[in-house]
């Protein structure tokens, strides 16, 4: 699905007309139509305005539908060792480069480790968000 198709789909899901988006963004009707029909490449500013009008982040326009369905938001913090271990084991890069044996960690250490991973991912996200 193209960016334009995603934008049109989101607009229709919210039951917005092109005129509604025009009023919310200040963009012309033709600009919005061209973007939705992939007749022009939208600028970053245009995408930001449309995203704000639709109540989503710009990166939503670039995600595949399966990404949106299969990648739920990360929790803020883990409270159970089961959820923490599930998260750790789903991170192949961490398991491959960690040099540690999760089977030797106690429940409290597993929760602490997973929460530290979340904090580190959050720190990395600030560096690479644009």
């Amino acid at each position: 699905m193209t960016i334009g198709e995603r934008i049109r789909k989101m607009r229709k899901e919210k039951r917005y007309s092109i005129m509604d988006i025009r009023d919310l963004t200040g963009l012309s009707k033709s600009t919005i139509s061209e973007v939705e029909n992939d007749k022009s490449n939208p600028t970053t500013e245009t995408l930001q305005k449309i995203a704000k009008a639709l109540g989503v982040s710009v990166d939503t326009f670039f995600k595949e539908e399966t990404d949106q369905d299969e990648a739920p938001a990360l929790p803020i913090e883990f409270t159970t060792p089961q959820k923490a271990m599930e998260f750790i084991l789903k991170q192949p890069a961490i398991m491959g480069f960690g040099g540690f044996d999760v089977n030797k960690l106690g429940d409290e250490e597993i929760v602490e480790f997973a929460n530290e991973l979340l904090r580190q991912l959050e720190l990395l996200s600030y560096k690479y968000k644009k």
Side-chain angles (χ1 to χ4, degrees):
M1 186 178 285
T2 66
I3 293 170
E5 291 170 333
R6 284 189 188 96
I7 290 171
R8 183 183 314 108
K9 181 181 176 192
M10 288 180 216
R11 176 179 60 78
K12 288 183 176 185
E13 285 173 355
K14 293 191 181 277
R15 299 177 189 230
Y16 286 163
S17 67
I18 288 180
M19 299 304 280
D20 292 328
I21 300 299
R22 181 199 69 180
D23 294 343
L24 290 167
T25 62
L27 298 169
S28 71
K29 180 181 171 188
S30 62
T31 296
I32 297 163
S33 180
E34 287 174 5
V35 168
E36 285 190 359
N37 292 305
D38 298 308
K39 302 232 185 242
S40 70
N41 290 322
T43 65
T44 303
E45 183 180 344
T46 297
L47 288 176
Q48 288 172 335
K49 288 179 179 182
I50 294 171
K52 184 176 179 184
L54 294 172
V56 298
S57 62
V58 173
D59 68 330
T60 305
F61 300 144
F62 298 94
K63 292 181 181 176
E64 295 295 329
E65 282 189 57
T66 55
D67 291 346
Q68 293 170 349
D69 294 339
E70 295 175 12
L74 289 174
I76 296 171
E77 183 176 62
F78 293 101
T79 56
T80 67
Q82 293 80 15
K83 290 290 184 185
M85 182 59 83
E86 184 180 318
F87 172 73
I88 293 167
L89 294 174
K90 285 184 179 179
Q91 312 306 316
I94 293 168
M95 295 307 299
F97 295 109
F100 51 84
D101 185 353
V102 292
N103 296 317
K104 293 182 180 178
L105 299 176
D107 286 352
E108 189 175 307
E109 291 173 310
I110 291 169
V111 171
E112 182 181 329
F113 180 71
N115 286 326
E116 182 61 27
L117 286 175
L118 285 177
R119 285 189 287 278
Q120 294 302 318
L121 289 170
E122 182 181 22
L123 290 173
L124 280 172
S125 73
Y126 294 130
K127 181 176 179 180
Y128 294 101
K129 281 183 185 174
K130 303 222 180 212

